[in-house]
Each structure stands twice: as structure tokens, then as C-alpha cells.
Amino acid sequence: MGPGLGYFLLPAGGALSLTGVITGNGTLISLSWIMWVLGILLILSNRYRRPADPRALAVAAAAGDARAVRGLRTLALTARAEGRPDTAERLLRQAVKAGDVESMWELGRLVEHREGLAAAEPWFRMAAERGHAVAKRLFRPGGALHPDGADPAP
């Protein structure tokens, strides 16, 4: 269970408590306290969770663990948001090696931001060829990589 459930339990517990007070139902009030305590515990437990080890994730991703691949992508997106594009690129490349289509797209976006659309095109093409819906739109006639309707450069 993650922190998302904790953020749900707090207002739900509040609504349950309010309903219990309005109706005079002590059982609802007791349940609301349980929901509040669980919500707070879930949120706090997430604050003290150790971050994932990128090396362990890379090994597991190379072995075909889809969850590890998503973990690499998540770490990469966090690194990009924190202003560490080199770390993000390294992690995304590891996820791409494991065949993650979403990481192909994200690596294309990172390269596009740093070097322009032409440099990112191979990553977008790779994602499009593997079915990424947004990447495919770049290559349709009139798309960013196919603006004149002619066949884009191979």
C-alpha cells in the first residue's frame, strides 16, 4: 500500500466522522478514527522508505523484470525533474535496453530538449515503431517529423 491510499483515507475518514456526528452513530465515528490513523501511518511510512537502488533495478530490468523497468523510468523522471539530465539519460538508456517503450519516448523528449528534434528523432521513431501512440503522431502526415507529407528521412 502506498501513500496514495493514505491521502484517500484522511478525507474519507473526515467525511465518515462528520456523518457519524450528524447522525449520532458512534460506530461511524470509531471507523473514522481507524481510517485517520491508517492514513497517517501510510503517509509517514512512505516518508521513511529507502529509495530504490538503481544498480539493482538495472540488473533486474536486464533480466526482464517489468516492475524494475518501471522503477528505472521513475528514477529517471525524478532525476530529470531535479535538474540531473545526465543521470536521467543514463537510467532511461538502461530501461530502453530492457525494451521499455515509454522510456524510449522519455529519452526522446530529453534529447529533444537538449539537442533539438532532429537528434531526438531516432528515439521517437523507435517508440513509434513499438506502438507508442503519441510518438506515432509525430510521424503522421503533418506531424512534427513529417510536416510536408513526404516520407521522413530514414
Side-chain angles (χ1 to χ4, degrees), residues 114-139:
R114 288 169 39 173
E115 302 171 34
L117 186 58
E121 190 222 345
W123 300 109
F124 289 144
R125 184 177 298 281
M126 188 184 303
E129 288 170 352
R130 287 165 181 78
H132 193 278
V134 179
K136 289 187 337 188
R137 292 175 60 197
L138 293 173
F139 294 98

Side-chain angles (χ1 to χ4, degrees), residues 97-121:
K97 280 183 188 175
D100 185 42
V101 176
E102 192 64 34
S103 293
M104 295 170 194
W105 167 256
E106 292 297 339
L107 185 55
R109 289 183 60 213
L110 183 68
V111 170
E112 179 185 16
H113 180 72
R114 288 169 39 173
E115 302 171 34
L117 186 58
E121 190 222 345

